[in-house]
Each structure stands twice: as structure tokens, then as C-alpha cells.
Amino acid sequence: MSDTRLTVTLDGGIDDARAIVRALEGVFGAPDGRPADEGATVHTATFDAPDTRHAPDASSAHPTGGALSAPVTVTVQGTPQAVEAASETLSRAFTARNEGAASGDQERERQLLLVP
């Protein structure tokens, strides 16, 4: 693992947040903490992004997050490789629509709309 982080921010209910985090765990491992506040309207999970030389191939993983109860907007932020892996994983686990991206020197951000 490197010191690089992947941050995932999402709106919606706690069960949907947990399903999305579960889908990402196959590629990134367990986050620093799982969404736990049932009253929150925004949830955040932070993962250690795997060293890209040793990272599992996101296309070979079979994410199993579960079904969503409502549309969820998800923002993933981190290295370009981590953001791409997270985006691919979420797109395979759920029906996803790319809502936009922003790139910096060493970091990328992408917003996805996941629908049930």
C-alpha cells in the first residue's frame, strides 16, 4: 500500500452507502471506517489506494455491493489510477452515469450517478 488515498463521498441512505462501500472493498480493501451514521445525508469513506504496480485489476474483480434503493450521487477523488479503478468497479456493480470529472496535476475527481 502507498500513502495515496481514495476518498468516496456519496449522498443517500445508510444502506445504499454501505452497498457502495462493499462494492469497492474488492479492489481497495476495507476503508478506514464504514458509513455508520443513519441520520447523515452525506457519507464518506476513505480507502488506501493500492500501489498501482501491485493493484488488483479492477476489470477482473466481481463487485458485489447489493441493490440500491434510490439514485445516489458518488464522488471519487484520488490518483488517476485509483479514480479509474473505482469508477470501473462502481460501473460494473451498479447502473452508472458519468456526471463529470476534474483533473489536477496528481489527483483526479469523478462524479457518478448510480441508479437502482
Side-chain angles (χ1 to χ4, degrees):
M1 294 281 178
S2 69
D3 290 334
T4 306
R5 314 285 270 166
L6 175 75
T7 302
V8 179
T9 306
L10 50 114
D11 64 8
I14 188 74
D15 292 333
D16 291 341
R18 289 175 180 158
I20 292 165
V21 168
R22 274 194 307 274
L24 292 169
E25 286 178 336
V27 173
F28 295 96
D32 286 350
R34 289 178 174 76
D37 184 353
E38 296 200 19
T41 57
V42 176
H43 305 278
T44 302
T46 304
F47 297 86
D48 287 323
D51 182 333
T52 56
R53 293 168 299 182
H54 301 101
D57 180 5
S59 63
S60 66
H62 298 287
T64 54
L68 299 177
S69 65
V72 178
T73 300
V74 178
T75 303
V76 291
Q77 181 179 22
T79 65
Q81 298 85 357
V83 169
E84 192 61 33
S87 298
E88 288 176 19
T89 300
L90 293 173
S91 293
R92 279 191 321 283
F94 308 100
T95 301
R97 185 172 72 203
N98 187 355
E99 294 285 297
S103 295
D105 282 349
Q106 298 180 23
E107 219 174 52
R108 183 172 291 162
E109 179 178 295
R110 181 170 292 151
Q111 188 171 44
L112 300 168
L113 177 65
L114 306 181
V115 294

XYZ file of all heavy atoms in Angstrom:
833
model
N 0.836 -1.186 0.000
C 0.000 0.000 0.000
C 0.879 1.247 0.000
O 1.953 1.258 0.555
C -0.878 0.027 1.248
C -1.906 -1.055 1.347
S -3.318 -0.690 0.327
C -4.252 -2.143 0.614
N 0.344 2.274 -0.606
C 1.065 3.531 -0.612
C 0.378 4.503 0.336
O -0.611 4.173 0.961
C 1.067 4.097 -2.042
O -0.242 4.493 -2.392
N 0.899 5.726 0.399
C 0.269 6.746 1.220
C -0.871 7.426 0.484
O -1.487 8.335 1.006
C 1.318 7.797 1.620
C 2.314 7.226 2.599
O 1.956 6.280 3.318
O 3.452 7.718 2.630
N -1.148 7.001 -0.727
C -2.196 7.590 -1.532
C -3.555 7.142 -1.032
O -3.741 5.996 -0.663
C -2.016 7.177 -3.002
O -0.695 7.508 -3.403
C -2.992 7.885 -3.895
N -4.513 8.047 -1.050
C -5.852 7.748 -0.543
C -6.868 7.890 -1.668
O -6.695 8.681 -2.588
C -6.225 8.722 0.561
C -5.150 8.950 1.594
C -4.983 7.841 2.542
N -5.859 8.062 3.678
C -6.135 7.127 4.547
N -5.628 5.938 4.423
N -6.930 7.364 5.560
N -7.934 7.150 -1.545
C -9.098 7.324 -2.394
C -10.218 7.741 -1.459
O -10.502 7.045 -0.479
C -9.484 6.029 -3.109
C -10.779 6.136 -3.920
C -10.529 6.910 -5.208
C -11.355 4.773 -4.205
N -10.832 8.876 -1.742
C -11.941 9.357 -0.923
C -13.223 9.226 -1.731
O -13.277 9.641 -2.897
C -11.724 10.828 -0.515
O -10.493 10.922 0.203
C -12.857 11.322 0.369
N -14.225 8.642 -1.113
C -15.523 8.440 -1.744
C -16.557 9.193 -0.907
O -16.678 8.955 0.295
C -15.882 6.934 -1.794
C -17.238 6.724 -2.436
C -14.803 6.150 -2.513
N -17.272 10.100 -1.542
C -18.314 10.867 -0.876
C -19.613 10.583 -1.612
O -19.645 10.597 -2.845
C -18.002 12.375 -0.931
O -16.699 12.598 -0.406
C -19.009 13.177 -0.132
N -20.683 10.309 -0.870
C -21.945 9.982 -1.517
C -23.117 10.465 -0.699
O -23.029 10.607 0.518
C -22.040 8.476 -1.755
C -21.749 7.595 -0.549
C -22.980 6.862 -0.128
C -20.643 6.639 -0.906
N -24.212 10.725 -1.411
C -25.444 11.112 -0.733
C -26.341 9.887 -0.652
O -26.031 8.845 -1.208
C -26.136 12.277 -1.449
C -26.607 11.920 -2.854
O -26.548 10.735 -3.247
O -27.039 12.820 -3.577
N -27.430 10.004 0.077
C -28.368 8.888 0.145
C -28.391 8.228 1.505
O -27.760 8.673 2.462
N -29.122 7.137 1.558
C -29.322 6.426 2.811
C -28.144 5.557 3.214
O -27.261 5.252 2.412
N -28.154 5.144 4.459
C -27.065 4.360 5.029
C -26.908 3.003 4.336
O -25.787 2.559 4.092
C -27.234 4.199 6.563
C -26.002 3.549 7.194
C -28.479 3.397 6.902
C -24.828 4.451 7.286
N -27.999 2.341 4.003
C -27.899 1.035 3.352
C -27.280 1.152 1.968
O -26.466 0.317 1.567
C -29.269 0.352 3.272
C -29.785 -0.052 4.642
O -28.948 -0.286 5.556
O -31.016 -0.124 4.817
N -27.642 2.200 1.223
C -27.039 2.423 -0.083
C -25.549 2.747 0.057
O -24.720 2.256 -0.707
C -27.755 3.550 -0.825
C -29.158 3.164 -1.256
O -29.462 1.944 -1.321
O -29.962 4.070 -1.533
N -25.195 3.557 1.054
C -23.787 3.893 1.289
C -22.984 2.635 1.596
O -21.886 2.437 1.065
C -23.671 4.895 2.444
N -23.520 1.776 2.422
C -22.819 0.530 2.765
C -22.675 -0.373 1.547
O -21.643 -1.020 1.367
C -23.552 -0.182 3.886
C -23.411 0.534 5.213
C -24.235 -0.118 6.294
N -24.071 0.586 7.565
C -24.943 0.530 8.543
N -26.050 -0.190 8.432
N -24.728 1.201 9.658
N -23.691 -0.430 0.681
C -23.616 -1.258 -0.528
C -22.514 -0.763 -1.454
O -21.756 -1.556 -2.030
C -24.966 -1.259 -1.250
N -22.384 0.543 -1.587
C -21.357 1.120 -2.456
C -19.971 0.847 -1.896
O -19.051 0.461 -2.622
C -21.627 2.624 -2.653
C -22.910 2.787 -3.487
C -20.445 3.320 -3.304
C -23.500 4.170 -3.462
N -19.795 1.007 -0.594
C -18.501 0.730 0.034
C -18.140 -0.748 -0.130
O -17.001 -1.087 -0.457
C -18.500 1.156 1.514
C -17.286 0.621 2.256
C -18.554 2.683 1.609
N -19.107 -1.650 0.056
C -18.845 -3.090 -0.127
C -18.359 -3.385 -1.540
O -17.467 -4.201 -1.740
C -20.102 -3.909 0.172
C -20.292 -4.251 1.620
C -21.356 -5.329 1.823
N -22.629 -5.024 1.197
C -23.606 -4.309 1.743
N -23.457 -3.811 2.962
N -24.729 -4.091 1.092
N -18.943 -2.722 -2.527
C -18.537 -2.947 -3.913
C -17.083 -2.547 -4.138
O -16.368 -3.192 -4.897
C -19.454 -2.171 -4.860
N -16.619 -1.498 -3.456
C -15.245 -1.029 -3.635
C -14.220 -1.840 -2.850
O -13.038 -1.832 -3.176
C -15.150 0.450 -3.236
C -15.891 1.411 -4.164
C -15.958 2.791 -3.535
C -15.226 1.449 -5.529
N -14.656 -2.538 -1.817
C -13.718 -3.276 -0.963
C -12.964 -4.373 -1.710
O -11.834 -4.696 -1.359
C -14.447 -3.874 0.238
C -14.807 -2.838 1.261
C -15.571 -3.400 2.447
O -16.230 -4.462 2.314
O -15.508 -2.771 3.512
N -13.551 -4.948 -2.757
C -12.872 -5.996 -3.509
C -11.611 -5.515 -4.194
O -10.678 -6.283 -4.407
N -11.558 -4.237 -4.535
C -10.392 -3.667 -5.201
C -9.494 -2.940 -4.213
O -8.278 -3.033 -4.277
C -10.827 -2.707 -6.336
C -9.639 -1.977 -6.938
C -11.580 -3.474 -7.413
N -10.089 -2.229 -3.260
C -9.324 -1.352 -2.380
C -9.137 -1.872 -0.965
O -8.417 -1.271 -0.178
C -9.991 0.031 -2.317
C -9.968 0.748 -3.634
C -11.052 0.703 -4.488
C -8.840 1.440 -4.034
C -11.030 1.348 -5.708
C -8.793 2.088 -5.254
C -9.895 2.036 -6.090
N -9.795 -2.953 -0.598
C -9.731 -3.425 0.776
C -10.688 -2.627 1.644
O -11.458 -1.802 1.150
N -10.636 -2.868 2.930
C -11.548 -2.198 3.860
C -11.199 -0.711 3.973
O -10.033 -0.342 3.992
C -11.476 -2.853 5.227
N -12.221 0.137 4.067
C -11.960 1.568 4.255
C -11.536 1.848 5.692
O -11.628 0.976 6.560
C -13.314 2.208 3.954
C -14.303 1.169 4.358
C -13.651 -0.156 4.025
N -11.114 3.085 5.928
C -10.757 3.488 7.292
C -11.946 3.359 8.228
O -11.793 3.089 9.403
C -10.238 4.928 7.312
C -8.841 5.044 6.734
O -8.209 3.995 6.492
O -8.390 6.172 6.521
N -13.118 3.561 7.718
C -14.351 3.418 8.501
C -15.510 3.251 7.553
O -15.498 3.776 6.447
N -16.498 2.514 7.977
C -17.682 2.314 7.145
C -18.748 3.328 7.528
O -18.812 3.767 8.669
C -18.207 0.895 7.335
C -17.289 -0.135 6.717
C -17.801 -1.547 6.954
N -16.992 -2.507 6.252
C -15.782 -2.906 6.644
N -15.256 -2.403 7.730
N -15.109 -3.788 5.937
N -19.607 3.691 6.573
C -20.698 4.612 6.919
C -21.520 4.042 8.066
O -21.923 2.880 8.039
C -21.524 4.668 5.625
C -20.539 4.326 4.545
C -19.611 3.329 5.167
N -21.740 4.855 9.098
C -22.413 4.351 10.297
C -23.522 5.262 10.806
O -24.382 4.809 11.529
C -21.387 4.134 11.409
N -23.499 6.532 10.447
C -24.491 7.472 10.965
C -25.762 7.389 10.139
O -25.820 7.858 9.006
C -23.927 8.891 10.936
C -24.871 9.911 11.552
O -26.022 9.558 11.896
O -24.450 11.071 11.682
N -26.794 6.784 10.704
C -28.036 6.571 9.966
C -28.766 7.872 9.671
O -29.582 7.932 8.760
C -28.935 5.591 10.722
C -28.279 4.237 10.811
C -29.246 3.118 11.107
O -30.459 3.293 10.907
O -28.766 2.071 11.542
N -28.480 8.929 10.408
C -29.148 10.199 10.181
C -28.437 11.103 9.188
O -28.973 12.125 8.783
N -27.248 10.728 8.759
C -26.474 11.566 7.846
C -27.069 11.540 6.441
O -27.622 10.533 6.012
C -25.029 11.095 7.801
N -26.941 12.652 5.740
C -27.384 12.698 4.348
C -26.206 12.599 3.386
O -26.404 12.397 2.192
C -28.174 13.983 4.055
O -27.363 15.107 4.381
C -29.465 14.014 4.871
N -24.990 12.767 3.898
C -23.770 12.602 3.112
C -22.862 11.660 3.876
O -22.675 11.809 5.086
C -23.059 13.959 2.872
C -21.739 13.751 2.149
C -23.951 14.901 2.084
N -22.300 10.680 3.165
C -21.407 9.694 3.773
C -20.055 9.754 3.074
O -19.977 10.028 1.875
C -21.990 8.283 3.627
C -23.367 8.167 4.185
N -23.611 7.974 5.527
C -24.583 8.247 3.594
C -24.907 7.921 5.730
N -25.522 8.085 4.574
N -18.995 9.482 3.834
C -17.648 9.482 3.284
C -16.923 8.229 3.731
O -17.057 7.805 4.883
C -16.861 10.723 3.769
O -17.571 11.896 3.382
C -15.479 10.775 3.174
N -16.165 7.645 2.814
C -15.289 6.518 3.138
C -13.940 6.811 2.509
O -13.861 7.345 1.399
C -15.851 5.211 2.601
N -12.880 6.487 3.225
C -11.529 6.697 2.720
C -10.813 5.364 2.671
O -10.789 4.625 3.657
C -10.758 7.682 3.628
O -11.510 8.901 3.716
C -9.385 7.978 3.073
N -10.242 5.076 1.519
C -9.510 3.832 1.297
C -8.040 4.152 1.061
O -7.720 5.201 0.510
C -10.013 3.121 0.038
C -11.446 2.677 0.095
C -12.477 3.534 -0.254
C -11.758 1.382 0.473
C -13.795 3.115 -0.215
C -13.069 0.949 0.507
C -14.090 1.813 0.165
N -7.160 3.239 1.451
C -5.781 3.308 0.995
C -5.800 2.794 -0.431
O -6.287 1.688 -0.682
C -4.862 2.412 1.836
C -4.609 2.982 3.210
O -4.483 4.209 3.327
O -4.541 2.195 4.173
N -5.335 3.603 -1.358
C -5.304 3.153 -2.750
C -4.125 2.205 -2.908
O -3.023 2.503 -2.463
C -5.166 4.345 -3.687
N -4.327 1.050 -3.517
C -3.228 0.107 -3.667
C -2.136 0.673 -4.552
O -2.404 1.464 -5.447
C -3.872 -1.123 -4.313
C -5.179 -0.671 -4.826
C -5.555 0.586 -4.118
N -0.918 0.259 -4.279
C 0.218 0.592 -5.126
C -0.132 0.079 -6.521
O -0.435 -1.095 -6.698
C 1.467 -0.096 -4.583
C 2.713 0.230 -5.374
O 2.613 0.541 -6.575
O 3.802 0.145 -4.784
N -0.088 0.947 -7.525
C -0.558 0.557 -8.855
C 0.243 -0.595 -9.450
O -0.251 -1.310 -10.299
C -0.525 1.756 -9.823
O 0.794 2.279 -9.858
C -1.510 2.815 -9.400
N 1.462 -0.804 -8.990
C 2.239 -1.934 -9.513
C 1.717 -3.252 -8.979
O 1.946 -4.296 -9.556
C 3.715 -1.783 -9.120
C 4.387 -0.603 -9.788
C 5.707 -0.356 -9.145
N 5.442 -0.050 -7.731
C 6.369 0.263 -6.853
N 7.618 0.302 -7.197
N 6.053 0.537 -5.619
N 1.007 -3.230 -7.859
C 0.510 -4.450 -7.238
C -1.013 -4.466 -7.102
O -1.567 -5.351 -6.490
C 1.117 -4.616 -5.841
C 2.608 -4.666 -5.865
N 3.377 -3.588 -5.534
C 3.468 -5.650 -6.233
C 4.657 -3.908 -5.667
N 4.736 -5.142 -6.098
N -1.665 -3.473 -7.657
C -3.115 -3.375 -7.505
C -3.821 -4.474 -8.276
O -3.407 -4.832 -9.364
C -3.597 -2.016 -8.008
N -4.909 -5.000 -7.710
C -5.698 -5.955 -8.469
C -6.306 -5.261 -9.681
O -6.594 -4.077 -9.643
C -6.786 -6.398 -7.490
C -6.704 -5.506 -6.325
C -5.435 -4.724 -6.396
N -6.481 -5.982 -10.751
C -7.081 -5.446 -11.958
C -8.571 -5.262 -11.705
O -9.296 -6.232 -11.487
C -6.840 -6.416 -13.111
C -7.432 -5.925 -14.419
O -7.952 -4.786 -14.464
O -7.373 -6.686 -15.397
N -9.022 -4.020 -11.739
C -10.429 -3.741 -11.452
C -11.351 -4.459 -12.428
O -12.466 -4.826 -12.084
C -10.689 -2.231 -11.509
N -10.882 -4.687 -13.654
C -11.751 -5.332 -14.634
C -11.940 -6.808 -14.352
O -12.872 -7.423 -14.847
C -11.185 -5.139 -16.048
O -9.929 -5.773 -16.160
N -11.073 -7.410 -13.541
C -11.220 -8.829 -13.236
C -11.984 -9.064 -11.934
O -12.370 -10.178 -11.637
C -9.847 -9.499 -13.146
O -9.132 -8.990 -12.047
N -12.183 -8.006 -11.168
C -12.918 -8.147 -9.910
C -14.408 -8.252 -10.201
O -14.904 -7.710 -11.176
C -12.644 -6.948 -9.000
N -15.118 -8.950 -9.350
C -16.564 -9.072 -9.488
C -17.211 -8.399 -8.283
O -17.448 -9.039 -7.269
C -16.965 -10.549 -9.563
C -16.373 -11.241 -10.739
N -16.816 -11.031 -12.013
C -15.354 -12.124 -10.833
C -16.102 -11.765 -12.860
N -15.209 -12.420 -12.162
N -17.460 -7.084 -8.383
C -18.001 -6.358 -7.236
C -19.407 -6.822 -6.894
O -20.214 -7.088 -7.768
C -18.003 -4.911 -7.707
C -18.037 -4.983 -9.193
C -17.331 -6.250 -9.562
N -19.641 -6.951 -5.616
C -20.967 -7.312 -5.142
C -21.342 -6.358 -4.024
O -21.001 -6.565 -2.877
C -20.993 -8.759 -4.620
O -19.968 -8.885 -3.630
C -20.747 -9.753 -5.719
N -21.990 -5.287 -4.390
C -22.380 -4.314 -3.386
C -23.794 -4.525 -2.903
O -24.108 -4.309 -1.758
N -24.655 -4.980 -3.784
C -26.065 -5.120 -3.452
C -26.869 -4.133 -4.257
O -26.346 -3.359 -5.045
N -28.162 -4.162 -4.060
C -29.057 -3.272 -4.798
C -29.195 -1.936 -4.084
O -29.122 -1.865 -2.862
C -30.422 -3.936 -4.932
N -29.408 -0.892 -4.859
C -29.643 0.438 -4.304
C -31.138 0.674 -4.195
O -31.921 0.196 -5.012
C -29.015 1.504 -5.198
C -27.500 1.439 -5.383
C -27.046 2.526 -6.361
C -26.786 1.585 -4.051
N -31.540 1.470 -3.201
C -32.950 1.778 -3.019
C -33.367 3.051 -3.748
O -34.550 3.274 -3.981
C -33.275 1.909 -1.532
O -32.579 3.018 -0.988
N -32.384 3.894 -4.082
C -32.655 5.176 -4.736
C -31.399 5.615 -5.483
O -30.309 5.099 -5.210
C -33.035 6.221 -3.683
N -31.512 6.569 -6.406
C -30.315 7.089 -7.072
C -29.357 7.701 -6.043
O -29.784 8.313 -5.067
C -30.863 8.168 -8.012
C -32.281 7.777 -8.250
C -32.747 7.161 -6.950
N -28.065 7.506 -6.278
C -27.031 8.011 -5.366
C -25.968 8.717 -6.189
O -25.471 8.159 -7.174
C -26.378 6.860 -4.566
C -25.272 7.389 -3.661
C -27.416 6.100 -3.758
N -25.610 9.929 -5.791
C -24.510 10.643 -6.418
C -23.235 10.317 -5.644
O -23.186 10.479 -4.421
C -24.760 12.161 -6.407
O -25.973 12.430 -7.125
C -23.609 12.916 -7.048
N -22.227 9.842 -6.365
C -20.963 9.427 -5.756
C -19.835 10.252 -6.367
O -19.757 10.393 -7.591
C -20.682 7.931 -6.018
C -19.349 7.520 -5.427
C -21.801 7.076 -5.471
N -18.966 10.789 -5.522
C -17.766 11.476 -5.974
C -16.565 10.687 -5.491
O -16.467 10.383 -4.298
C -17.701 12.916 -5.428
O -18.877 13.611 -5.832
C -16.466 13.646 -5.944
N -15.670 10.315 -6.409
C -14.432 9.621 -6.046
C -13.277 10.560 -6.358
O -13.261 11.225 -7.394
C -14.281 8.265 -6.777
C -15.300 7.273 -6.277
C -14.396 8.408 -8.271
N -12.315 10.618 -5.431
C -11.198 11.538 -5.575
C -9.924 10.845 -5.139
O -9.884 10.201 -4.083
C -11.441 12.778 -4.721
C -10.350 13.816 -4.814
C -10.655 15.029 -3.958
O -11.433 14.952 -3.019
N -10.034 16.136 -4.282
N -8.867 10.959 -5.946
C -7.573 10.355 -5.617
C -6.672 10.370 -6.829
O -6.839 11.199 -7.728
N -5.725 9.435 -6.875
C -4.833 9.357 -8.026
C -5.646 8.982 -9.264
O -6.715 8.369 -9.152
C -3.740 8.303 -7.825
O -4.355 7.007 -7.762
C -2.917 8.570 -6.580
N -5.163 9.313 -10.446
C -5.889 8.923 -11.656
C -6.168 7.414 -11.717
O -7.268 7.001 -12.084
C -4.960 9.360 -12.796
C -4.199 10.510 -12.214
C -3.991 10.151 -10.768
N -5.197 6.591 -11.317
C -5.384 5.137 -11.356
C -6.448 4.686 -10.365
O -7.272 3.828 -10.678
C -4.065 4.410 -11.057
C -2.962 4.688 -12.047
C -2.171 5.957 -11.732
O -2.460 6.702 -10.792
N -1.164 6.222 -12.543
N -6.453 5.251 -9.178
C -7.435 4.869 -8.156
C -8.834 5.305 -8.565
O -9.802 4.555 -8.417
C -7.058 5.463 -6.801
N -8.961 6.510 -9.099
C -10.265 7.003 -9.531
C -10.803 6.161 -10.683
O -11.977 5.807 -10.722
C -10.184 8.500 -9.905
C -11.446 8.970 -10.614
C -9.935 9.335 -8.654
N -9.930 5.792 -11.616
C -10.359 4.955 -12.737
C -10.810 3.578 -12.247
O -11.835 3.056 -12.676
C -9.222 4.819 -13.758
C -9.653 4.217 -15.057
C -10.711 5.038 -15.782
O -10.707 6.278 -15.693
O -11.568 4.415 -16.443
N -10.040 2.981 -11.337
C -10.406 1.669 -10.795
C -11.730 1.735 -10.045
O -12.588 0.861 -10.186
C -9.300 1.143 -9.883
N -11.926 2.789 -9.253
C -13.180 2.941 -8.506
C -14.348 3.147 -9.464
O -15.421 2.550 -9.289
C -13.070 4.111 -7.533
N -14.154 3.964 -10.478
C -15.220 4.227 -11.451
C -15.616 2.958 -12.199
O -16.802 2.668 -12.372
C -14.776 5.300 -12.449
O -14.517 6.509 -11.787
N -14.626 2.185 -12.630
C -14.899 0.926 -13.328
C -15.632 -0.055 -12.412
O -16.581 -0.722 -12.828
C -13.600 0.297 -13.817
C -12.961 1.017 -14.984
C -11.634 0.400 -15.372
O -11.356 -0.769 -15.013
O -10.867 1.093 -16.054
N -15.188 -0.146 -11.179
C -15.800 -1.062 -10.222
C -17.263 -0.693 -9.976
O -18.145 -1.551 -10.003
C -15.020 -1.042 -8.893
O -13.670 -1.451 -9.162
C -15.633 -1.972 -7.867
N -17.525 0.584 -9.747
C -18.900 1.023 -9.488
C -19.785 0.863 -10.728
O -20.959 0.515 -10.617
C -18.913 2.469 -8.995
C -18.290 2.677 -7.618
C -18.180 4.162 -7.288
C -19.060 1.924 -6.541
N -19.214 1.068 -11.902
C -19.984 0.910 -13.139
C -20.363 -0.542 -13.402
O -21.379 -0.813 -14.036
C -19.194 1.469 -14.327
O -19.062 2.867 -14.209
N -19.551 -1.476 -12.940
C -19.881 -2.901 -13.078
C -20.872 -3.358 -12.011
O -21.699 -4.230 -12.261
C -18.618 -3.758 -13.020
C -17.889 -3.810 -14.337
C -16.800 -4.868 -14.354
N -16.069 -4.974 -13.105
C -15.124 -4.142 -12.692
N -14.773 -3.132 -13.440
N -14.514 -4.311 -11.550
N -20.797 -2.760 -10.831
C -21.653 -3.188 -9.722
C -23.058 -2.578 -9.797
O -24.011 -3.178 -9.310
C -21.001 -2.822 -8.387
N -23.161 -1.404 -10.393
C -24.427 -0.672 -10.436
C -24.600 -0.064 -11.823
O -23.649 0.035 -12.582
C -24.430 0.465 -9.393
C -24.080 0.026 -8.005
C -22.807 0.216 -7.497
C -25.026 -0.600 -7.206
C -22.478 -0.199 -6.208
C -24.711 -1.015 -5.922
C -23.431 -0.815 -5.418
N -25.798 0.381 -12.113
C -26.013 1.164 -13.328
C -25.491 2.564 -13.031
O -25.939 3.211 -12.077
C -27.503 1.208 -13.691
O -27.957 -0.137 -13.873
C -27.732 2.008 -14.949
N -24.506 3.013 -13.821
C -23.842 4.277 -13.518
C -23.854 5.204 -14.721
O -23.774 4.766 -15.867
C -22.397 4.010 -13.094
N -23.935 6.493 -14.416
C -23.826 7.523 -15.443
C -22.740 8.498 -15.011
O -22.753 8.987 -13.877
C -25.162 8.248 -15.595
C -25.138 9.259 -16.729
C -26.497 9.826 -16.998
N -26.853 10.731 -15.901
C -28.091 11.054 -15.577
N -29.105 10.533 -16.220
N -28.327 11.890 -14.584
N -21.793 8.770 -15.897
C -20.710 9.697 -15.613
C -21.283 11.109 -15.614
O -21.856 11.556 -16.596
C -19.611 9.551 -16.660
C -18.377 10.363 -16.336
O -18.339 11.125 -15.376
N -17.352 10.200 -17.138
N -21.128 11.804 -14.494
C -21.664 13.156 -14.346
C -20.593 14.227 -14.471
O -20.880 15.401 -14.298
C -22.360 13.286 -12.986
C -23.592 12.411 -12.857
C -24.777 12.956 -13.627
O -25.258 14.051 -13.301
O -25.216 12.267 -14.569
N -19.343 13.831 -14.718
C -18.285 14.825 -14.897
C -17.020 14.444 -14.172
O -17.011 13.578 -13.294
N -15.928 15.085 -14.576
C -14.619 14.799 -13.983
C -13.794 16.076 -13.970
O -14.016 16.993 -14.758
C -13.903 13.709 -14.776
N -12.842 16.105 -13.063
C -11.878 17.198 -12.983
C -10.515 16.595 -12.706
O -10.401 15.633 -11.942
C -12.253 18.173 -11.872
N -9.495 17.138 -13.353
C -8.143 16.609 -13.177
C -7.208 17.705 -12.704
O -7.302 18.848 -13.148
C -7.603 16.044 -14.494
O -8.368 14.940 -14.897
N -6.308 17.324 -11.823
C -5.242 18.203 -11.377
C -3.912 17.594 -11.758
O -3.854 16.631 -12.526
N -2.840 18.118 -11.199
C -1.512 17.587 -11.510
C -1.372 16.123 -11.120
O -0.862 15.326 -11.885
C -0.423 18.396 -10.795
C -0.136 19.709 -11.487
O -0.617 19.895 -12.626
O 0.552 20.542 -10.890
N -1.794 15.796 -9.904
C -1.589 14.446 -9.415
C -2.853 13.819 -8.847
O -2.809 12.741 -8.279
C -0.495 14.444 -8.351
C 0.827 14.913 -8.902
C 1.904 14.915 -7.845
O 1.811 14.206 -6.857
N 2.926 15.712 -8.063
N -3.960 14.493 -9.010
C -5.202 13.992 -8.450
C -6.325 14.146 -9.467
O -6.279 15.028 -10.327
C -5.558 14.775 -7.181
C -6.127 13.900 -6.110
C -6.343 14.651 -4.812
O -6.976 15.709 -4.834
O -5.882 14.151 -3.790
N -7.295 13.278 -9.352
C -8.458 13.323 -10.239
C -9.710 13.203 -9.388
O -9.700 12.590 -8.327
C -8.386 12.182 -11.244
C -9.529 12.206 -12.249
C -9.348 11.201 -13.338
N -8.229 11.611 -14.175
C -7.591 10.801 -15.003
N -7.943 9.550 -15.100
N -6.601 11.241 -15.737
N -10.788 13.742 -9.912
C -12.088 13.629 -9.251
C -13.112 13.275 -10.316
O -13.080 13.801 -11.426
C -12.455 14.945 -8.590
C -13.805 14.932 -7.902
C -14.100 16.249 -7.214
O -13.377 16.585 -6.246
O -15.035 16.945 -7.642
N -14.008 12.342 -9.986
C -15.079 11.965 -10.908
C -16.370 11.848 -10.134
O -16.401 11.329 -9.021
C -14.764 10.652 -11.603
C -15.870 10.254 -12.590
C -15.506 9.107 -13.481
N -14.453 9.541 -14.389
C -13.555 8.714 -14.884
N -13.550 7.448 -14.572
N -12.627 9.156 -15.717
N -17.451 12.299 -10.759
C -18.767 12.181 -10.148
C -19.605 11.219 -10.979
O -19.646 11.323 -12.211
C -19.445 13.535 -10.051
C -20.729 13.504 -9.244
C -21.250 14.889 -8.977
O -21.273 15.747 -9.865
N -21.658 15.131 -7.746
N -20.242 10.276 -10.300
C -21.095 9.288 -10.944
C -22.482 9.351 -10.329
O -22.618 9.597 -9.127
C -20.543 7.872 -10.743
C -19.148 7.584 -11.273
C -18.648 6.256 -10.736
C -19.157 7.572 -12.793
N -23.491 9.084 -11.127
C -24.837 8.903 -10.622
C -25.135 7.412 -10.735
O -25.120 6.846 -11.828
C -25.861 9.704 -11.422
C -27.317 9.509 -10.994
C -27.529 10.031 -9.567
C -28.258 10.205 -11.963
N -25.342 6.754 -9.584
C -25.677 5.327 -9.561
C -27.177 5.218 -9.372
O -27.749 5.875 -8.511
C -24.948 4.637 -8.414
C -23.430 4.818 -8.354
C -22.859 4.044 -7.168
C -22.772 4.403 -9.645
N -27.806 4.379 -10.179
C -29.258 4.223 -10.086
C -29.615 2.768 -9.820
O -28.890 1.867 -10.210
C -29.957 4.734 -11.373
C -29.781 6.231 -11.514
C -29.447 4.030 -12.603
N -30.755 2.561 -9.141
C -31.167 1.178 -8.831
C -31.493 0.385 -10.095
O -31.802 0.910 -11.114
C -32.414 1.353 -7.977
C -32.557 2.796 -7.680
C -31.642 3.535 -8.576
